[in-house]
Amino acid sequence: MSPIKSSLAKTAKQLLGLRNTADLGLRGASQKSKKVFTYILSVPTAVNSPGKWDLAVDGTLVLGTGTYDIAYAPGNIDSTVIAAIHMWGGGGGAGTPGGYSNGGAGGFTSANFAFASGTTYKFVVGTSQGGGVPGGNTGAPGNGASSAGHGGGYTGMFATSVAHGNAVMIAGGGGGSAGDTIQRSTGGAGGSGGGPEGIDGSDGNGSNAGGDRGTQSAGGSGGPGYSTGTAGGALYGGNGGAQGNGGDGGGGGAGYYGGGGGGGTDPAPQGGGGGGGGSGYIGSPLLIGATSVASPGPNRAGSSPYAPLLPASAGRGNSRIDKLSLGDANDGGDGAVIIAAVV
Protein backbone atom coordinates (compact mmCIF):
# COMPACT_ATOMS: atom_id res chain seq x y z
CA MET A 1 0.00 0.00 0.00
CA SER A 2 1.44 3.33 -1.01
CA PRO A 3 1.63 6.13 1.54
CA ILE A 4 -1.18 8.62 1.23
CA LYS A 5 -1.80 12.15 2.37
CA SER A 6 -4.12 12.68 5.31
CA SER A 7 -7.72 13.67 4.80
CA LEU A 8 -7.78 14.68 8.48
CA ALA A 9 -6.23 18.05 7.74
CA LYS A 10 -6.05 20.60 10.52
CA THR A 11 -6.54 24.30 9.94
CA ALA A 12 -3.97 25.92 7.67
CA LYS A 13 -2.39 27.60 10.66
CA GLN A 14 -1.98 24.28 12.49
CA LEU A 15 -0.62 22.49 9.45
CA LEU A 16 2.03 25.14 9.05
CA GLY A 17 2.94 24.66 12.68
CA LEU A 18 2.11 28.22 13.77
CA ARG A 19 1.37 28.68 17.44
CA ASN A 20 0.48 32.09 18.87
CA THR A 21 1.88 33.37 22.14
CA ALA A 22 0.83 36.63 23.79
CA ASP A 23 3.51 39.19 24.71
CA LEU A 24 3.10 42.30 26.75
CA GLY A 25 4.47 45.28 24.79
CA LEU A 26 6.41 48.20 26.28
CA ARG A 27 3.22 50.32 26.29
CA GLY A 28 1.09 47.58 27.84
CA ALA A 29 -0.48 46.58 24.54
CA SER A 30 -1.02 42.89 23.93
CA GLN A 31 0.90 41.77 20.87
CA LYS A 32 1.22 38.38 19.20
CA SER A 33 4.41 36.59 18.23
CA LYS A 34 4.67 33.37 16.29
CA LYS A 35 6.90 30.35 16.77
CA VAL A 36 7.30 27.95 13.88
CA PHE A 37 7.40 24.19 14.46
CA THR A 38 8.54 21.78 11.76
CA TYR A 39 7.85 18.08 11.30
CA ILE A 40 10.26 16.81 8.64
CA LEU A 41 11.28 13.15 8.63
CA SER A 42 13.72 11.25 6.45
CA VAL A 43 11.92 8.44 4.58
CA PRO A 44 12.82 5.98 1.80
CA THR A 45 12.61 7.47 -1.68
CA ALA A 46 10.04 4.78 -2.52
CA VAL A 47 7.76 6.50 -0.01
CA ASN A 48 8.44 10.03 -1.28
CA SER A 49 10.96 10.72 -4.03
CA PRO A 50 12.79 13.60 -2.29
CA GLY A 51 13.54 11.22 0.60
CA LYS A 52 11.73 13.48 3.06
CA TRP A 53 8.20 13.69 4.42
CA ASP A 54 6.93 16.87 6.05
CA LEU A 55 4.06 15.89 8.34
CA ALA A 56 2.85 19.51 8.41
CA VAL A 57 2.77 19.87 4.61
CA ASP A 58 2.54 16.36 3.10
CA GLY A 59 0.04 15.24 5.73
CA THR A 60 -0.24 12.15 7.87
CA LEU A 61 2.01 9.29 6.74
CA VAL A 62 0.40 5.85 6.31
CA LEU A 63 2.69 2.83 5.83
CA GLY A 64 1.61 -0.54 4.43
CA THR A 65 3.47 -3.86 4.61
CA GLY A 66 7.25 -3.78 4.34
CA THR A 67 10.26 -2.32 6.16
CA TYR A 68 11.03 1.40 6.27
CA ASP A 69 13.92 3.53 7.54
CA ILE A 70 12.51 6.63 9.27
CA ALA A 71 14.61 9.33 10.96
CA TYR A 72 14.81 12.98 11.98
CA ALA A 73 15.72 15.01 8.89
CA PRO A 74 18.00 18.03 8.47
CA GLY A 75 16.10 21.27 8.00
CA ASN A 76 13.96 21.15 11.13
CA ILE A 77 13.92 24.21 13.35
CA ASP A 78 13.67 22.26 16.61
CA SER A 79 16.03 19.54 17.76
CA THR A 80 13.23 16.96 17.82
CA VAL A 81 10.18 16.07 15.75
CA ILE A 82 7.33 15.00 18.00
CA ALA A 83 4.96 12.65 16.21
CA ALA A 84 2.03 10.40 17.07
CA ILE A 85 2.66 6.77 16.10
CA HIS A 86 -0.29 4.37 15.81
CA MET A 87 0.32 0.78 14.70
CA TRP A 88 -1.69 -2.38 14.13
CA GLY A 89 -0.41 -5.95 13.83
CA GLY A 90 -1.56 -8.21 11.00
CA GLY A 91 -4.79 -10.15 11.53
CA GLY A 92 -4.98 -13.93 11.46
CA GLY A 93 -6.42 -15.86 8.51
CA ALA A 94 -9.28 -18.35 8.53
CA GLY A 95 -9.42 -22.12 8.16
CA THR A 96 -10.98 -23.56 5.00
CA PRO A 97 -12.99 -25.22 3.50
CA GLY A 98 -14.78 -25.99 6.76
CA GLY A 99 -14.32 -24.27 10.08
CA TYR A 100 -16.49 -21.28 10.86
CA SER A 101 -14.16 -19.74 13.41
CA ASN A 102 -12.40 -16.43 12.76
CA GLY A 103 -8.75 -15.51 12.81
CA GLY A 104 -7.74 -13.16 15.61
CA ALA A 105 -7.25 -9.43 15.09
CA GLY A 106 -3.85 -7.80 15.27
CA GLY A 107 -3.03 -5.75 18.35
CA PHE A 108 -2.93 -1.95 18.57
CA THR A 109 -0.06 0.07 20.08
CA SER A 110 0.19 3.86 20.12
CA ALA A 111 2.33 6.62 21.61
CA ASN A 112 3.84 10.01 20.94
CA PHE A 113 7.54 9.87 20.15
CA ALA A 114 10.31 12.45 19.82
CA PHE A 115 12.52 11.75 16.79
CA ALA A 116 15.99 13.24 17.33
CA SER A 117 19.09 13.46 15.15
CA GLY A 118 21.46 10.51 15.16
CA THR A 119 19.19 7.44 15.19
CA THR A 120 17.43 5.74 12.29
CA TYR A 121 14.38 3.69 13.18
CA LYS A 122 13.22 0.59 11.35
CA PHE A 123 9.47 0.27 10.97
CA VAL A 124 8.26 -3.24 10.12
CA VAL A 125 4.63 -3.63 9.02
CA GLY A 126 3.31 -7.18 9.21
CA THR A 127 1.18 -9.35 6.96
CA SER A 128 -0.33 -12.81 7.21
CA GLN A 129 -0.22 -13.66 3.54
CA GLY A 130 1.33 -17.09 3.30
CA GLY A 131 3.08 -17.00 6.65
CA GLY A 132 6.58 -15.57 6.93
CA VAL A 133 10.29 -16.26 7.21
CA PRO A 134 12.17 -15.51 10.45
CA GLY A 135 14.02 -12.25 10.03
CA GLY A 136 11.96 -11.37 6.95
CA ASN A 137 10.57 -7.96 6.18
CA THR A 138 7.08 -8.75 7.36
CA GLY A 139 7.93 -10.42 10.63
CA ALA A 140 7.45 -14.12 11.07
CA PRO A 141 3.85 -15.21 11.51
CA GLY A 142 3.20 -18.92 11.87
CA ASN A 143 1.96 -20.92 8.91
CA GLY A 144 -1.36 -22.65 9.36
CA ALA A 145 -1.04 -26.30 8.40
CA SER A 146 -2.60 -27.01 4.99
CA SER A 147 -6.11 -25.55 5.10
CA ALA A 148 -5.78 -23.57 8.37
CA GLY A 149 -5.37 -19.80 8.68
CA HIS A 150 -1.98 -18.12 8.75
CA GLY A 151 -0.91 -16.15 11.79
CA GLY A 152 -0.57 -12.39 11.43
CA GLY A 153 2.83 -10.69 11.38
CA TYR A 154 3.80 -8.18 14.05
CA THR A 155 4.13 -4.48 13.33
CA GLY A 156 6.97 -2.77 15.15
CA MET A 157 9.48 0.04 15.53
CA PHE A 158 13.15 -0.74 16.20
CA ALA A 159 16.19 1.43 16.91
CA THR A 160 18.90 1.06 14.23
CA SER A 161 18.18 -2.57 13.21
CA VAL A 162 15.44 -5.18 13.48
CA ALA A 163 16.37 -7.18 16.55
CA HIS A 164 14.45 -8.26 19.62
CA GLY A 165 16.64 -6.19 21.93
CA ASN A 166 16.20 -3.07 19.78
CA ALA A 167 12.40 -3.01 19.95
CA VAL A 168 10.84 0.37 20.78
CA MET A 169 7.17 -0.54 20.35
CA ILE A 170 5.32 -3.51 18.82
CA ALA A 171 1.73 -4.50 18.00
CA GLY A 172 1.29 -8.29 18.01
CA GLY A 173 -0.20 -10.34 15.18
CA GLY A 174 -3.40 -12.35 15.50
CA GLY A 175 -3.46 -16.15 15.39
CA GLY A 176 -5.00 -18.06 12.49
CA SER A 177 -8.14 -20.13 12.96
CA ALA A 178 -8.08 -23.90 12.53
CA GLY A 179 -9.08 -25.92 9.49
CA ASP A 180 -11.84 -28.49 9.33
CA THR A 181 -12.64 -31.29 6.91
CA ILE A 182 -16.30 -30.39 6.63
CA GLN A 183 -18.26 -27.20 7.04
CA ARG A 184 -18.94 -27.33 10.74
CA SER A 185 -17.93 -24.96 13.51
CA THR A 186 -15.55 -27.49 15.06
CA GLY A 187 -12.20 -25.73 14.54
CA GLY A 188 -10.77 -23.32 17.09
CA ALA A 189 -10.61 -19.55 16.58
CA GLY A 190 -7.32 -17.69 16.43
CA GLY A 191 -6.36 -15.59 19.44
CA SER A 192 -5.92 -11.85 18.97
CA GLY A 193 -2.55 -10.15 19.11
CA GLY A 194 -1.56 -7.92 22.02
CA GLY A 195 -1.40 -5.85 24.01
CA PRO A 196 0.99 -6.79 26.85
CA GLU A 197 -0.07 -10.34 26.07
CA GLY A 198 -1.82 -11.95 23.15
CA ILE A 199 -4.92 -14.12 23.55
CA ASP A 200 -4.85 -17.92 23.54
CA GLY A 201 -6.14 -19.76 20.48
CA SER A 202 -9.38 -21.65 21.04
CA ASP A 203 -9.52 -25.43 21.29
CA GLY A 204 -11.12 -27.51 18.58
CA ASN A 205 -13.71 -30.18 19.38
CA GLY A 206 -11.29 -33.10 19.36
CA SER A 207 -8.28 -34.15 21.40
CA ASN A 208 -6.39 -31.05 20.30
CA ALA A 209 -5.87 -27.59 21.66
CA GLY A 210 -5.24 -24.02 20.63
CA GLY A 211 -1.80 -22.47 20.80
CA ASP A 212 -0.90 -20.38 23.84
CA ARG A 213 -0.48 -16.62 23.70
CA GLY A 214 2.83 -14.78 23.60
CA THR A 215 3.73 -12.82 26.75
CA GLN A 216 6.41 -10.29 27.75
CA SER A 217 8.86 -13.05 28.59
CA ALA A 218 8.19 -16.07 26.37
CA GLY A 219 6.53 -17.37 23.24
CA GLY A 220 3.37 -19.42 23.51
CA SER A 221 3.50 -23.21 23.54
CA GLY A 222 2.10 -25.11 20.60
CA GLY A 223 -1.27 -26.77 21.08
CA PRO A 224 -1.19 -30.58 21.55
CA GLY A 225 -3.13 -32.94 19.34
CA TYR A 226 -2.63 -35.60 16.68
CA SER A 227 0.18 -33.29 15.54
CA THR A 228 1.39 -30.67 18.02
CA GLY A 229 1.82 -27.10 16.88
CA THR A 230 5.25 -25.51 17.31
CA ALA A 231 6.01 -22.87 19.93
CA GLY A 232 6.32 -19.16 19.19
CA GLY A 233 9.44 -17.18 20.07
CA ALA A 234 11.10 -13.77 19.86
CA LEU A 235 9.46 -11.97 16.87
CA TYR A 236 7.92 -15.11 15.35
CA GLY A 237 4.81 -17.24 15.70
CA GLY A 238 4.61 -21.03 15.79
CA ASN A 239 3.34 -23.23 12.96
CA GLY A 240 0.10 -25.13 13.20
CA GLY A 241 0.09 -28.92 13.53
CA ALA A 242 -0.98 -31.04 10.56
CA GLN A 243 -4.17 -33.07 10.53
CA GLY A 244 -4.54 -36.79 10.11
CA ASN A 245 -8.08 -36.97 8.71
CA GLY A 246 -9.41 -34.14 10.84
CA GLY A 247 -8.53 -30.46 10.95
CA ASP A 248 -5.27 -28.53 10.74
CA GLY A 249 -3.96 -26.21 13.45
CA GLY A 250 -3.91 -22.44 12.91
CA GLY A 251 -0.64 -20.51 12.76
CA GLY A 252 0.50 -18.42 15.73
CA GLY A 253 0.69 -14.65 15.45
CA ALA A 254 4.13 -13.02 15.56
CA GLY A 255 4.95 -10.46 18.24
CA TYR A 256 7.49 -9.34 20.80
CA TYR A 257 7.01 -12.98 21.64
CA GLY A 258 4.84 -14.95 19.21
CA GLY A 259 1.90 -17.21 19.90
CA GLY A 260 2.06 -20.97 19.53
CA GLY A 261 0.52 -22.86 16.62
CA GLY A 262 -2.67 -24.82 17.16
CA GLY A 263 -2.70 -28.62 17.30
CA GLY A 264 -3.86 -30.72 14.35
CA THR A 265 -6.32 -33.55 14.87
CA ASP A 266 -7.57 -36.91 13.66
CA PRO A 267 -10.11 -38.30 12.77
CA ALA A 268 -12.83 -36.40 10.91
CA PRO A 269 -14.93 -34.43 11.66
CA GLN A 270 -12.79 -33.02 14.44
CA GLY A 271 -11.40 -29.50 13.97
CA GLY A 272 -7.90 -28.33 14.85
CA GLY A 273 -6.86 -25.74 17.42
CA GLY A 274 -6.51 -22.04 16.69
CA GLY A 275 -3.17 -20.24 16.81
CA GLY A 276 -2.26 -18.03 19.76
CA GLY A 277 -1.82 -14.29 19.40
CA GLY A 278 1.57 -12.59 19.65
CA SER A 279 2.34 -10.03 22.35
CA GLY A 280 2.80 -6.31 21.89
CA TYR A 281 5.53 -4.25 23.53
CA ILE A 282 6.23 -0.79 24.94
CA GLY A 283 9.90 -0.45 25.75
CA SER A 284 11.41 3.01 25.36
CA PRO A 285 11.47 5.92 27.84
CA LEU A 286 11.13 8.21 24.81
CA LEU A 287 7.53 7.04 24.31
CA ILE A 288 4.91 9.42 25.70
CA GLY A 289 1.45 8.22 26.72
CA ALA A 290 2.02 4.74 25.31
CA THR A 291 -0.74 2.13 25.28
CA SER A 292 -1.05 -1.37 23.85
CA VAL A 293 -4.31 -3.34 23.64
CA ALA A 294 -5.80 -6.50 22.16
CA SER A 295 -9.17 -6.93 20.49
CA PRO A 296 -11.61 -9.45 22.02
CA GLY A 297 -12.35 -10.87 18.56
CA PRO A 298 -11.64 -10.45 14.84
CA ASN A 299 -12.47 -6.73 14.67
CA ARG A 300 -9.70 -4.13 14.53
CA ALA A 301 -8.20 -3.34 17.92
CA GLY A 302 -8.03 0.02 19.61
CA SER A 303 -9.52 3.43 19.00
CA SER A 304 -7.66 5.85 16.75
CA PRO A 305 -8.74 9.10 15.08
CA TYR A 306 -6.64 8.03 12.10
CA ALA A 307 -8.49 4.74 11.53
CA PRO A 308 -10.51 6.20 8.58
CA LEU A 309 -7.23 6.41 6.63
CA LEU A 310 -6.72 2.63 6.77
CA PRO A 311 -7.91 -0.02 4.30
CA ALA A 312 -11.07 -1.71 5.55
CA SER A 313 -9.25 -5.02 6.14
CA ALA A 314 -6.25 -3.60 8.06
CA GLY A 315 -5.53 -5.36 11.34
CA ARG A 316 -8.63 -7.58 11.17
CA GLY A 317 -9.01 -11.33 11.41
CA ASN A 318 -10.59 -13.13 8.47
CA SER A 319 -13.39 -15.71 8.23
CA ARG A 320 -13.96 -18.86 6.16
CA ILE A 321 -16.22 -16.96 3.76
CA ASP A 322 -13.50 -14.30 3.32
CA LYS A 323 -15.41 -11.38 4.80
CA LEU A 324 -12.34 -9.22 4.24
CA SER A 325 -12.51 -9.82 0.46
CA LEU A 326 -8.85 -10.79 0.23
CA GLY A 327 -7.30 -13.08 -2.35
CA ASP A 328 -7.30 -16.01 0.07
CA ALA A 329 -9.45 -16.66 3.15
CA ASN A 330 -6.36 -18.20 4.79
CA ASP A 331 -4.90 -14.66 4.96
CA GLY A 332 -5.84 -11.95 7.44
CA GLY A 333 -5.79 -8.19 7.12
CA ASP A 334 -2.35 -6.60 6.82
CA GLY A 335 -0.89 -4.46 9.57
CA ALA A 336 -0.36 -0.71 9.27
CA VAL A 337 1.53 2.24 10.75
CA ILE A 338 0.38 5.84 10.95
CA ILE A 339 2.74 8.72 11.78
CA ALA A 340 1.15 12.12 12.36
CA ALA A 341 2.29 15.54 13.54
CA VAL A 342 1.56 16.47 17.16
CA VAL A 343 0.40 20.10 17.05
Side-chain angles (χ1 to χ4, degrees):
M1 179 180 69
S2 299
I4 58 176
K5 294 186 179 181
S6 173
S7 60
L8 302 181
K10 304 293 184 182
T11 65
K13 183 174 288 187
Q14 288 174 312
L15 285 176
L16 292 174
L18 302 180
R19 300 181 183 178
N20 295 327
T21 58
D23 296 329
L24 186 64
L26 294 175
R27 296 185 180 180
S30 178
Q31 300 176 341
K32 287 188 176 181
S33 64
K34 296 178 179 179
K35 182 179 180 181
V36 179
F37 292 79
T38 54
Y39 303 90
I40 306 172
L41 296 174
S42 172
V43 299
T45 55
V47 172
N48 203 25
S49 57
K52 292 183 180 181
W53 188 281
D54 189 334
L55 297 172
V57 176
D58 297 316
T60 297
L61 178 60
V62 183
L63 301 175
T65 56
T67 298
Y68 306 85
D69 289 345
I70 307 290
Y72 175 94
N76 283 294
I77 293 175
D78 292 334
S79 59
T80 60
V81 169
I82 300 177
I85 301 173
H86 291 201
M87 60 175 58
W88 291 261
T96 55
Y100 280 76
S101 300
N102 294 303
F108 172 67
T109 301
S110 66
N112 290 350
F113 184 80
F115 290 89
S117 178
T119 302
T120 297
Y121 295 92
K122 296 277 190 181
F123 282 81
V124 179
V125 183
T127 183
S128 74
Q129 297 181 13
V133 178
N137 289 342
T138 55
N143 281 299
S146 186
S147 61
H150 305 301
Y154 70 81
T155 296
M157 174 184 180
F158 301 83
T160 307
S161 63
V162 179
H164 192 252
N166 293 343
V168 175
M169 57 191 292
I170 289 176
S177 70
D180 195 349
T181 55
I182 56 177
Q183 294 183 12
R184 297 182 183 179
S185 55
T186 57
S192 293
E197 296 186 349
I199 295 176
D200 293 338
S202 299
D203 297 344
N205 71 333
S207 56
N208 59 297
D212 291 340
R213 64 190 179 276
T215 68
Q216 291 298 292
S217 59
S221 300
Y226 170 81
S227 177
T228 300
T230 64
L235 305 182
Y236 68 89
N239 293 327
Q243 63 163 307
N245 293 304
D248 301 303
Y256 185 62
Y257 283 100
T265 190
D266 182 77
Q270 297 178 1
S279 61
Y281 180 70
I282 296 170
S284 170
L286 299 177
L287 296 172
I288 304 166
T291 184
S292 187
V293 299
S295 170
N299 293 327
R300 186 183 300 137
S303 176
S304 170
Y306 308 107
L309 300 177
L310 300 174
S313 61
R316 296 173 59 191
N318 209 351
S319 69
R320 180 190 65 83
I321 58 174
D322 195 14
K323 288 183 178 178
L324 302 186
S325 299
L326 301 175
D328 189 338
N330 294 141
D331 299 334
D334 291 335
V337 166
I338 286 179
I339 305 176
V342 175
V343 296

